Amino acid sequence: MRVLCAFPEAMSSSNSRPSACLAPVALYLAVLLHLSLSSQTGDRRPLPVDRAAGLKEKTLILLDVSTKNPVRTVNENFLSLQLDPSIIHDGWLDFLSSKRLVTLARGLSPAFLRFGGKRTDFLQFQNLRNPAKSRGGPGPDYYLKNYEDEPNNYRTMHGRAVNGSQLGKDYIQLKSLLQPIRIYSRASLYGPNIGRPRKNVIALLDGFMKVAGSTVDAVTWQHCYIDGRAVKVMDFLKTRLLDTLSDQIRKIQKVVNTYTPGKKIWLEGVVTTSAGGTNNLSDSYAAGFLWLNTLGMLANQGIDVVIRHSFFDHGYNHLVDQNFNPLPDYWLSLLYKRLIGPKVLAVHVAGLQRKPRPGRVIRDKLRIYAHCTNHHNHNYVRGSITLFIINLHRSRKKIKLAGTLRAKLVHQYLLQPYGQEGLRSRSVQLNGQPLVMVDDGTLPELKPRPLRAGRTLVIPPVTMGFYVVKNVNALACRYR
């Protein structure tokens, strides 16, 4: 959700005025505030306010949420995980039985677990009971191995290209080989797992969907935000970078809906930076802005599942490091799992909004998303709503809940960096308390900070947080 709004909270002027003139000014502001807060339906355009030249004013964002019907409903396993098979090759597989690692993984359930990645060439799929072997033709292992990741890059990796039509035919063949095998007869098939949707990749997807669009259970692609260049901490705060994903979603949806309208789409692999990430950046608090915005943007635009690469692996893009310590994106994911349900709600904003200039796109540094609160969280009754907010501004922002959210109790979960490293920190604090595991088998309690009813939400600069609005009794959130 794009939010760039302001509302005059206080006005000052260098010119002194007679006290008799203050009454109509105060009355005018009171009426203006009342109209903005009470407007729950209909035209939500800001009321006109004359601003004197050089007049400084504080900004107040008025926020409401549509509670009757969700705009989207994503998969219960929306936030899912990937493990790279290289952990076998590198001798890490035994560590998957670690009590600490299992505890961390359990915290992110329910989720799909994708076992795959680019470094899978050493794997050999074998099934001695595979009837396809006795027929003299290639079995499922051939197709599973050869169409693992990003078919658009085959020419670069293997010196041989594949077009979309051939890829689609191979998927149809793979499904026909799997169906007679009892353990695979009801298995789902996902693909083609293309890379960034440039012109040649879209052409490949178009050919694939034309042939095999009805064969796959969901269409998949991968996304890397920063590829092949030096990375600085401020890169993670650039709104232009955050918005690259939205354009990719639209390109994928356009092709998919041409051939199979309504087909589920998965982002089957997302990383902040390529080549394993960047130390002290991809695994830092700063990378969380990209990750949380990814979750909000994907759900808001109807993507059914996102698979995070990787839960535990080499490099710096993962959620858990090689010493089994949870990184900032893990805690962000844990809060998301605990608080966010699959139903997406529309956010409405009232106040003063910046006007676009010709040839310029307004890229918002304050991003607000809303969902029904996770119905598995027994701390909140059904009908509650959870907001998650990203503030990329260097100043704090004030948000006043209006309409259906007005005068409701709020629980704040504010996530900030912990330690002297600032945005580069690999540790985080929740409402001022550092997040660390209690022991190998116990995650810490995620304690909210209660805010009194009607209190203005104050979002500190360059931070992100979750806000549960309790007892809204939202119709969209009362039932599963």
Side-chain angles (χ1 to χ4, degrees), residues 126-142:
Q126 294 182 356
N127 186 346
L128 299 179
R129 294 179 296 174
N130 181 2
K133 291 291 187 181
S134 62
R135 295 198 294 266
D141 58 304
Y142 170 84

Side-chain angles (χ1 to χ4, degrees), residues 463-480:
T463 55
M464 46 197 156
F466 297 80
Y467 298 83
V468 180
V469 188
K470 300 180 63 179
N471 306 321
V472 179
N473 199 29
L475 181 62
C477 306
R478 275 191 249 162
Y479 309 101
R480 296 183 62 176

Side-chain angles (χ1 to χ4, degrees), residues 93-343:
L93 188 61
D94 291 343
F95 289 103
L96 294 181
S97 61
S98 159
K99 182 179 180 180
R100 186 179 181 89
L101 207 57
V102 169
T103 300
L104 290 167
R106 187 178 292 119
L108 300 183
S109 65
F112 296 113
L113 179 62
R114 179 178 186 256
F115 196 66
K118 292 183 177 180
R119 299 183 298 150
T120 57
D121 289 345
F122 69 92
L123 286 179
Q124 298 293 330
F125 296 88
Q126 294 182 356
N127 186 346
L128 299 179
R129 294 179 296 174
N130 181 2
K133 291 291 187 181
S134 62
R135 295 198 294 266
D141 58 304
Y142 170 84
Y143 297 97
L144 288 170
K145 176 177 173 58
N146 285 284
Y147 289 139
E148 175 64 32
D149 258 327
E150 298 189 42
N152 47 284
N153 286 335
Y154 285 172
R155 183 181 294 278
T156 303
M157 295 186 295
H158 306 294
R160 180 180 179 183
V162 60
N163 61 48
S165 298
Q166 182 59 52
L167 186 63
K169 292 175 183 177
D170 286 344
Y171 266 75
I172 293 173
Q173 178 69 4
L174 172 59
K175 189 152 192 174
S176 68
L177 291 170
L178 291 173
Q179 285 178 339
I181 304 172
R182 183 172 58 86
I183 59 174
Y184 295 134
S185 60
R186 295 184 180 181
S188 299
L189 186 61
Y190 305 97
N193 209 27
I194 56 174
R196 188 176 300 171
R198 298 184 176 96
K199 185 176 181 179
N200 64 315
V201 179
I202 289 296
L204 187 149
L205 179 62
D206 187 89
F208 176 86
M209 293 301 300
K210 188 181 298 184
V211 173
S214 59
T215 300
V216 293
D217 294 274
V219 178
T220 62
W221 98 101
Q222 298 194 25
H223 178 63
C224 175
Y225 277 101
I226 304 173
D227 189 11
R229 63 179 176 86
V231 183
K232 297 178 293 186
V233 67
M234 296 309 296
D235 289 337
F236 294 96
L237 309 182
K238 292 180 178 178
T239 55
R240 185 180 298 275
L241 180 64
L242 270 64
D243 289 339
T244 57
L245 180 61
S246 182
D247 183 55
Q248 291 195 20
I249 294 171
R250 287 191 292 268
K251 289 179 179 179
I252 298 290
Q253 288 176 329
K254 181 178 180 180
V255 177
V256 171
N257 290 330
T258 297
Y259 297 102
T260 54
K263 174 72 69 175
K264 300 293 186 183
I265 302 175
W266 290 16
L267 180 53
E268 198 173 83
V270 57
V271 295
T272 54
T273 58
S274 61
T278 305
N279 189 23
N280 292 330
L281 285 178
S282 306
D283 51 0
S284 71
Y285 177 86
F289 296 113
L290 281 178
W291 179 225
L292 187 58
N293 186 70
T294 296
L295 294 171
M297 186 175 286
L298 289 171
N300 214 39
Q301 293 187 231
I303 302 304
D304 195 48
V305 171
V306 53
I307 298 180
R308 172 61 187 252
H309 177 50
S310 173
F311 172 64
F312 167 77
D313 194 8
H314 78 298
Y316 308 102
N317 278 320
H318 42 236
L319 301 180
V320 180
D321 70 18
Q322 293 186 4
N323 296 315
F324 307 148
N325 293 316
L327 294 166
D329 276 6
Y330 176 84
W331 298 116
L332 196 58
S333 302
L334 182 64
L335 281 166
Y336 189 95
K337 281 286 189 179
R338 294 279 180 89
L339 301 175
I340 302 297
K343 293 183 179 180

Side-chain angles (χ1 to χ4, degrees), residues 65-93:
V65 172
S66 295
T67 59
K68 290 185 178 180
N69 296 294
V71 293
R72 302 275 190 275
T73 301
V74 297
N75 200 294
E76 288 276 355
N77 297 348
F78 173 71
L79 196 171
S80 289
L81 305 170
Q82 174 173 317
L83 279 176
D84 196 297
S86 62
I87 61 173
I88 301 174
H89 188 270
D90 298 340
W92 288 92
L93 188 61

Side-chain angles (χ1 to χ4, degrees), residues 30-81:
V31 172
L32 180 61
L33 179 60
H34 173 75
L35 290 174
S36 297
L37 286 172
S38 61
S39 175
Q40 300 181 28
T41 58
D43 189 359
R44 293 184 173 273
R45 290 177 297 179
L47 295 172
V49 179
D50 294 329
R51 288 190 284 180
L55 183 65
K56 293 183 179 180
E57 60 182 12
K58 296 181 181 179
T59 58
L60 182 66
I61 297 160
L62 302 179
L63 173 65
D64 192 11
V65 172
S66 295
T67 59
K68 290 185 178 180
N69 296 294
V71 293
R72 302 275 190 275
T73 301
V74 297
N75 200 294
E76 288 276 355
N77 297 348
F78 173 71
L79 196 171
S80 289
L81 305 170

Side-chain angles (χ1 to χ4, degrees), residues 285 414-418 425 427-432 460-464:
Y285 177 86
L414 181 64
L415 204 63
Q416 295 175 288
Y418 179 72
S425 178
S427 301
V428 294
Q429 55 184 325
L430 179 65
N431 295 326
V462 199
T463 55
M464 46 197 156

